[in-house]
Amino acid sequence: MKIETSEKLKKLPPYLFIEIDRKKKEAIERGADIISLGVGDPDMPTPKHIVEAGQKALAKPQNHQYPFGAGMLSFRKAVAGWYKKKFNVDLNPDNEVCALIGSKEGIGHMHLAFVNPGDVVLIPEPGYPVYNTGTIFTDGIPYFMPLLEKNGFLPDLDAIPEDVAKKAKIIFVNYPNNPTAAIAPKEFYVKLIQFAKKYNIIVAYDNAYSEIYYDDNEKPMSFLEFEGAKEVGVEFHSLSKTCNMTGWRLGWVCGNKDIVAAIAKVKDNYDSGVFQAVQEAGITALTSSQECVEEMRKMYKARRDALCDGLNALGWNVTKPKASFYVWAKVPKGYKSSEVVSKLLDECAIVCTPGNGMGKSGEGYVRFALTVPVPRIKEALARIKNCKF
């Protein structure tokens, strides 16, 4: 029997990080000592007190059944309390918060709640691939907003043609940004909300990296802090990066109650909710001491400084990021993104991500993830020093 996939599946580009993982495994099979700075998966374990809370919750028989719905009220209250303490944002846990199986799941499902064939989805590029794949699955039309250094890696909302804006259903925004590591100023949020109101566009704000920052005077903000935000949009968040919980799959969407309800309705028909033991671990993560998060920031700062200072000493042109655990590095003169990635893998056994793999505006950059200890970063730098660019 011939197995024929759907036309939608055929339209999908190869998922970048699966391809990177494949190449990494091939190199390991050849005997290479790989230093992986590619996929943004924290290398440190989930903090012990969160693991212990999850273990205790795992033993409760009441957590062994279908969880269903928007999540445990106790988890949604913990999210609301964290937002109040962190951002001074008021959320109603009854109808303005929905638990997700990781924020990726919610972002992907959001299109199913709002996008009809022919609707435009405004997507930052380079950017997280799921913004586009969800658009393809719903027969929407992606309109890519270039994130350029000259614009501070912010989308130029004024450059979006009016006929495109009028057809747009959702605009995806992500700061601290993956992959550029940029943060957005207050003026941008005000303009974004005005733009969304003018054209009746839903704002989907991806705030997964808000807790990874390096200057207390420039802490990343929540989109929901700004007047009018809850009228036009929602925010996605996750414990994956904040608490090294990527494998636990726990996040949430919060904000406008009607948008939250629509996403929850899609989820009711596609999954059976987040495992309650994981939600209980999440409650501990959100309500207990945040000292482990502060220690994480110090760790990433040391790694950032080691990599950026080292690359600049080797003649690269790298700006230290103010947030996220990514370094968005300009490639050496005369090279393209994919050439640098291939050279680093073949000659140095270093894995990183080609900028153009996350959007054509990423050409000329590579992304390094700060997901190995400082000694391994120094080893990577020693290898790069011997790699002639």
Side-chain angles (χ1 to χ4, degrees):
M1 187 174 99
K2 184 181 179 183
I3 306 298
E4 191 76 23
T5 62
S6 70
E7 292 303 312
K8 290 178 183 177
L9 207 59
K10 290 174 185 175
K11 289 179 183 178
L12 291 182
Y15 192 67
L16 177 64
F17 303 112
I18 296 294
E19 185 67 11
I20 290 171
D21 190 60
R22 182 186 67 78
K23 290 181 178 179
K24 181 176 79 171
K25 287 175 180 175
E26 286 179 357
I28 291 172
E29 287 175 5
R30 295 196 302 268
D33 174 25
I34 290 291
I35 299 176
S36 183
L37 304 171
V39 180
D41 190 358
D43 58 309
M44 300 300 288
T46 305
K48 184 180 178 182
H49 67 289
I50 299 173
V51 173
E52 290 174 347
Q55 289 171 330
K56 194 175 293 185
L58 187 63
K60 295 180 181 178
Q62 63 265 37
N63 287 338
H64 300 172
Q65 297 175 304
Y66 286 124
F68 288 132
M72 300 166 67
L73 181 58
S74 53
F75 174 73
R76 288 179 278 136
K77 285 181 175 179
V79 169
W82 186 82
Y83 259 75
K84 181 64 177 178
K85 187 174 181 179
K86 178 72 187 175
F87 300 115
N88 197 30
V89 168
D90 291 309
L91 292 170
N92 184 340
D94 291 329
N95 58 13
E96 292 182 339
V97 182
C98 177
L100 301 173
I101 309 172
S103 58
K104 177 181 180 179
E105 172 262 306
I107 289 167
H109 276 147
M110 183 176 187
H111 301 75
L112 293 168
F114 298 104
V115 179
N116 294 311
D119 285 343
V120 170
V121 178
L122 303 176
I123 300 170
E125 72 85 10
Y128 190 40
V130 181
Y131 308 147
N132 186 35
T133 54
T135 304
I136 293 170
F137 277 137
T138 50
D139 290 319
I141 300 171
Y143 180 87
F144 295 103
M145 305 176 293
L147 304 184
L148 306 175
E149 184 178 13
K150 67 180 183 181
N151 295 328
F153 298 111
L154 299 169
D156 184 354
L157 301 178
D158 294 329
I160 300 170
E162 187 149 3
D163 62 325
V164 171
K166 286 180 177 178
K167 293 177 183 176
K169 206 65 174 286
I170 301 172
I171 180 171
F172 282 97
V173 183
N174 164 225
Y175 294 97
N177 184 254
N178 173 20
T180 71
I183 57 176
K186 292 179 180 180
E187 305 78 52
F188 172 76
Y189 294 95
V190 174
K191 189 168 187 176
L192 174 64
I193 293 166
Q194 292 172 343
F195 175 80
K197 285 183 177 180
K198 179 178 179 180
Y199 293 106
N200 200 44
I201 301 171
I202 294 169
V203 175
Y205 193 84
D206 181 357
N207 203 10
Y209 297 93
S210 76
E211 299 315 291
I212 304 175
Y213 58 86
Y214 306 112
D215 185 344
D216 285 339
N217 295 317
E218 292 191 76
K219 292 180 182 178
M221 292 173 283
S222 164
F223 158 73
L224 297 174
E225 289 183 57
F226 292 85
E227 186 177 352
K230 210 185 281 188
E231 297 172 36
V232 298
V234 290
E235 184 161 294
F236 292 91
H237 220 301
S238 165
L239 291 176
S240 289
K241 309 305 193 297
T242 302
C243 294
N244 302 332
M245 294 177 70
T246 50
W248 296 68
R249 309 314 304 135
L250 181 61
W252 62 86
V253 60
C254 58
N256 182 284
K257 63 183 179 63
D258 296 323
I259 300 172
V260 169
I263 295 171
K265 187 173 183 179
V266 171
K267 284 178 57 58
D268 285 343
N269 287 278
Y270 269 83
D271 66 64
S272 300
V274 180
F275 183 31
Q276 287 189 174
V278 171
Q279 291 187 61
E280 288 200 32
I283 293 168
T284 296
L286 290 165
T287 60
S288 60
S289 167
Q290 299 297 292
E291 185 179 344
C292 60
V293 182
E294 181 59 38
E295 290 303 311
M296 171 198 70
R297 281 193 282 269
K298 291 177 182 176
M299 177 191 71
Y300 284 132
K301 186 175 188 295
R303 295 178 179 186
R304 178 202 68 168
D305 291 347
L307 182 60
C308 292
D309 292 344
L311 287 173
N312 284 325
L314 294 175
W316 290 52
N317 182 8
V318 180
T319 301
K320 286 185 180 181
K322 294 179 180 178
S324 88
F325 59 21
Y326 300 117
V327 172
W328 190 235
K330 287 183 180 178
V331 300
K333 196 171 182 181
Y335 286 87
K336 291 187 175 180
S337 298
S338 57
E339 293 172 341
V340 171
V341 170
S342 295
K343 191 173 177 68
L344 288 175
L345 181 58
D346 296 339
E347 299 181 24
C348 305
I350 295 170
V351 175
C352 62
T353 304
N356 61 348
M358 302 184 77
K360 65 179 183 179
S361 297
E363 179 56 73
Y365 295 85
V366 292
R367 192 195 76 177
F368 294 103
L370 300 171
T371 49
V372 299
V374 169
R376 290 292 275 172
I377 289 174
K378 289 182 176 179
E379 168 65 21
L381 291 165
R383 295 182 191 182
I384 295 171
K385 184 178 182 180
N386 294 323
C387 184
K388 304 301 180 185
F389 280 102

